Amino acid sequence: MQLRRVIVHTCMLAAIVAMAGCAGHVSRGKEPPMPLPPGISPAPGGLKFSVKITPARFKLGEHVALEATMFNDSDKKFERRFPTSCVWDYQVAGDLRILGPHRMCLQTVTDLALEPGELRVISRDWRGNARYFEVDESLAPGTYQVTAGLIQDGQVVPMSDPVTIEILPR
C-alpha cells in the first residue's frame, strides 16, 4: 500500500511539473504575415525574395558584395512562363528612379520552375570600378534602395524588403 501511494504521488508530481512547463504557452498556429513596405508587391506562389549587401555603407572604391535570392517557400512546384529570357533580378534605385542594372533580354519564351525549397542566387562582387552592381551609370555618394523580384515588362517588380545602401564620399 505504501509503495502504491509513493507511485501515485510521484506520477501526480510529474504531471504537475509537466503542466507547469507548458504554462503560458498558447498554440498560435501560423503567424499572420507582416504588411509589405510601400512599393513592394507580394511574391506569387510561395516565392520569397531577399537582398543582402555587405557592407551596406561604403566609400567609393571599397569592395562590396551583393547577393539576391529567390526561394520557393511552399510545398508546391512554382511554374511560370515569361515572354523573354529575363525572369528575375535585382534593381538599384535612387531619387525615385531606377538606375539599373542594365539587362539585355533575348526575345524568347522562358519557363521558370522552382521545386519546393529550391533557391536561386545572383551574386555581384564589386572590386573597384565606378559602376556598382552593373548599374547604367556611376553611382554618386548618396542613399539608394536595392530590391529583387520577378521581371514584368522589362522591369523588376520589387518583391523583397528594400535594402538601403549608403555610398560615402572618399
Side-chain angles (χ1 to χ4, degrees):
M1 198 67 158
Q2 184 76 6
L3 180 59
R4 184 174 182 183
R5 186 185 310 178
V6 170
I7 292 173
V8 169
H9 284 183
T10 303
C11 289
M12 287 176 55
L13 182 61
I16 290 169
V17 169
M19 288 189 297
C22 295
H25 181 273
V26 177
S27 177
R28 294 186 183 115
K30 195 169 185 175
E31 293 289 326
M34 295 292 293
L36 295 170
I40 304 300
S41 298
L47 292 184
K48 290 193 175 181
F49 292 86
S50 67
V51 175
K52 178 181 172 187
I53 300 177
T54 309
R57 293 182 76 217
F58 50 92
K59 291 182 180 180
L60 289 168
E62 290 182 339
H63 176 263
V64 181
L66 175 145
E67 182 179 278
T69 62
M70 173 176 58
F71 177 67
N72 183 353
D73 192 31
S74 75
D75 58 355
K76 296 179 180 145
K77 184 176 185 177
F78 177 84
E79 296 180 281
R80 181 169 286 179
R81 181 166 277 184
F82 292 83
T84 70
S85 62
C86 292
V87 174
W88 79 285
D89 210 341
Y90 65 93
Q91 74 178 15
V92 178
D95 296 328
L96 303 175
R97 62 190 187 104
I98 298 169
L99 302 170
H102 178 73
R103 51 184 75 76
M104 297 187 72
C105 306
L106 295 175
Q107 298 302 307
T108 182
V109 174
T110 304
D111 293 320
L112 172 65
L114 274 89
E115 296 294 333
E118 187 174 348
L119 174 73
R120 304 265 174 103
V121 178
I122 297 172
S123 293
R124 298 289 179 265
D125 208 27
W126 184 83
R127 293 202 177 266
N129 62 28
R131 292 174 48 98
Y132 286 89
F133 314 127
E134 301 175 8
V135 297
D136 296 336
E137 59 191 69
S138 297
L139 296 181
T143 302
Y144 301 88
Q145 296 287 313
V146 184
T147 56
L150 296 175
I151 295 180
Q152 181 178 333
D153 299 325
Q155 297 292 322
V156 170
V157 176
M159 296 178 179
S160 70
D161 285 337
V163 171
T164 300
I165 60 171
E166 184 180 0
I167 300 177
L168 306 168
R170 288 183 197 219

